[in-house]
Amino acid sequence: MTSELNHQRNIIKDVKDHHEDAFAIKMSNRFLSGVPDLMIKVPKHPIMLVEVKKGEINKKGIVKINTTPIQRYIMQHMQKSGIRCEVWTIIEEDKDCFILRTRPEITSVLIFETTNLPRRTRGVKWPIENFLNDPLEKNDE
């Protein structure tokens, strides 16, 4: 199983590989609680802050989004000020990884199948362009 930090590194690399002028950086550290893990900026797109979590689908098909109350609070306030914030929960199945993208206030999601989720297999990058062009809106649910 890949660590959360390695998933963050893969996302940063995929963002930078996506566009030569892209900027992606890890912002969080163990001394700064509540701040999203990553800041992503690609030309012609707004800045996006992303909290990266590892998750799994339980027997009932539910994925728990493991953000802390302070993370949800800070990201919701960032959103109110116009900053795009998302939580990307990485689900590992065999050799594939899937991203479940949610808004900060979401704490769990019922998943029927992973085929509709963005996938990353070895040697394949995350579809960053899709994430940038498809913001999560309040009426997604």
Side-chain angles (χ1 to χ4, degrees), residues 11 19 42 48 50 54 60 68 73 79 89 100 104 123 139:
I11 291 168
H19 194 285
V42 174
M48 180 167 48
V50 177
K54 283 183 68 170
K60 296 180 181 181
T68 65
Y73 175 81
Q79 282 183 311
T89 302
L100 173 61
N139 58 6

Side-chain angles (χ1 to χ4, degrees), residues 3-9 11-12 26 28 35-38 40 49-55 66-67 71 75 86-90 99 126:
S3 72
E4 195 172 287
L5 183 59
N6 283 337
H7 286 302
Q8 293 171 8
R9 287 182 185 133
I11 291 168
I12 289 170
K26 179 171 174 43
S28 66
V35 175
D37 294 319
L38 306 177
I40 298 170
L49 301 180
V50 177
E51 177 63 31
V52 178
K53 295 292 185 184
K54 283 183 68 170
N66 294 312
T67 51
Q71 287 172 324
M75 288 191 293
E86 296 184 5
V87 178
W88 293 359
T89 302
I90 311 288
I99 283 187
W126 287 115

